[in-house]
Amino acid sequence: MSIGNSNSPEDERPSTDDRSEDRIIERKAEGPSIGTALKKARIAAGLTVDEVSSTTRVRIPIVHAIEADDFTRCGGDVYARGHIRTLARAVHIDPEPLVDAYDAAHGGRPAPTPAAPMFEAERIRPERQRPNWTAAMVAAIVAVIGFVGFTAFSGSDAKDKRPVADASAAPQAAPKQSAGKPAAQPQQPKAPKPEPSDSAIAAAPKDLVTVVLTANDGESWISAKDHSGRLLFDGTLAPGESKTFTDKESIDLVLGDAGVVKIFVNGKEIKDDFQPGQVERLTYTKDDPRQGAAQAG
């Protein structure tokens, strides 16, 4: 009895090497990955990773990870999309095809959700508040200047009133005029009350950075920290609501929806073309206004 060569199911299965080659061929057919496209564009623009990180404020390890198609360090899909847009603009390519590719590879873009739940995982528990000596000092200076101005104004007002009081009492205390003597001259009308001097007006401190955020077209989650990393505010800015933050060196911001927020730095509006739903990280100092570079995540 001869034994023929029977083909088992295992023999019919493709080898591991064949499957690997198939995946490589598929990947080549699909074109370069998101990270590869960003890296090639950066090299073509003559930029280093350090220069891109300095321009976009995206940390160097995150830039390296994204160029290697590792998005786990971005902190979530929303931050990953923001990073891709920011890096694409920095290397002068259109970000939308890359964002679409990311959405296709990660289950599509999710439906819009309220800003506060979206960033719940990113929120930091507020640490125990320490005394804000800078704010207390500013308040004390303003109070002293206001008191000095009020005192100066009250003193000048009292001086103006004294001649009027004397004039009203003069007719009663004056002796009767004898015949042949001229009658007493009528009192001169009182001088108009002087306006408060310019020195009584308190000037805003110029050695601090002051940032005002106003939500115009919708609500946005925001986070603000001072130069030491202390959390100043973490919450949702309702439509029409404003928040003001001050520090002696810098203010760091995270805007969940930068497209609906107006930014004023040291009394001047910062113009930008942030789109609705765009996540941005911004830093401003007392030497601004100058437009802050966007950094999401």
Side-chain angles (χ1 to χ4, degrees):
M1 182 175 70
S2 63
I3 300 175
N5 292 331
S6 60
N7 293 328
S8 65
E10 287 78 5
D11 295 334
E12 296 177 357
R13 295 176 183 173
S15 66
T16 304
D17 293 339
D18 293 339
R19 291 196 298 269
S20 299
E21 290 178 0
D22 291 342
R23 283 197 295 268
I24 293 173
I25 293 172
E26 280 182 7
R27 191 172 301 167
K28 289 182 178 178
E30 293 174 356
S33 64
I34 297 172
T36 301
L38 290 173
K39 184 174 182 179
K40 286 183 176 180
R42 173 178 60 78
I43 295 173
L47 300 173
T48 65
V49 172
D50 289 350
E51 290 171 338
V52 171
S53 175
S54 176
T55 301
T56 62
R57 299 183 182 271
V58 178
R59 288 177 290 141
I60 292 175
I62 297 180
V63 177
H64 281 299
I66 291 176
E67 288 189 352
D69 293 310
D70 178 9
F71 301 98
T72 58
R73 304 193 63 173
C74 294
D77 289 341
V78 173
Y79 286 124
R81 293 186 188 94
H83 284 315
I84 292 171
R85 286 192 178 94
T86 301
L87 295 178
R89 293 191 186 105
V91 298
H92 314 301
I93 62 175
D94 184 7
E96 295 309 319
L98 301 182
V99 174
D100 292 341
Y102 178 86
D103 291 337
H106 293 81
R109 183 171 300 182
T113 56
M118 182 186 303
F119 294 95
E120 194 69 35
E122 286 293 317
R123 294 189 177 184
I124 304 173
R125 292 184 180 180
E127 61 188 26
R128 187 171 61 184
Q129 298 292 329
R130 293 175 293 179
N132 192 339
W133 297 114
T134 301
M137 181 175 65
V138 172
I141 292 173
V142 172
V144 169
I145 295 175
F147 175 75
V148 172
F150 176 77
T151 303
F153 176 73
S154 299
S156 61
D157 189 30
K159 291 179 181 179
D160 294 335
K161 290 181 179 179
R162 286 175 188 169
V164 177
D166 294 341
S168 61
Q172 300 177 3
K176 296 180 179 179
Q177 297 293 333
S178 59
K181 291 185 178 180
Q185 295 295 328
Q187 294 290 334
Q188 296 293 330
K190 69 174 183 178
K193 186 185 298 183
E195 296 295 330
S197 63
D198 292 338
S199 62
I201 301 174
K206 296 182 179 179
D207 57 342
L208 301 175
V209 54
T210 301
V211 177
V212 180
L213 303 180
T214 301
N216 281 344
D217 302 325
E219 67 177 18
S220 173
W221 173 82
I222 63 172
S223 174
K225 296 181 181 179
D226 63 12
H227 74 282
S228 64
R230 183 170 61 88
L231 189 65
L232 302 176
F233 180 80
D234 183 288
T236 301
L237 198 64
E241 185 180 6
S242 295
K243 290 289 183 183
T244 301
F245 308 101
T246 60
D247 188 64
K248 62 182 180 180
E249 291 185 17
S250 65
I251 295 293
D252 295 326
L253 303 172
V254 180
L255 307 181
D257 190 349
V260 303
V261 179
K262 266 193 174 181
I263 307 171
F264 295 84
V265 179
N266 298 328
K268 294 187 177 180
E269 182 177 359
I270 302 299
K271 300 291 186 179
D272 212 320
D273 57 345
F274 297 141
Q275 300 299 317
Q278 186 172 344
V279 180
E280 294 292 341
R281 283 185 177 271
L282 306 167
T283 299
Y284 295 104
T285 68
K286 62 185 178 182
D287 296 337
D288 288 321
R290 63 176 182 268
Q291 182 169 329
Q295 177 183 357

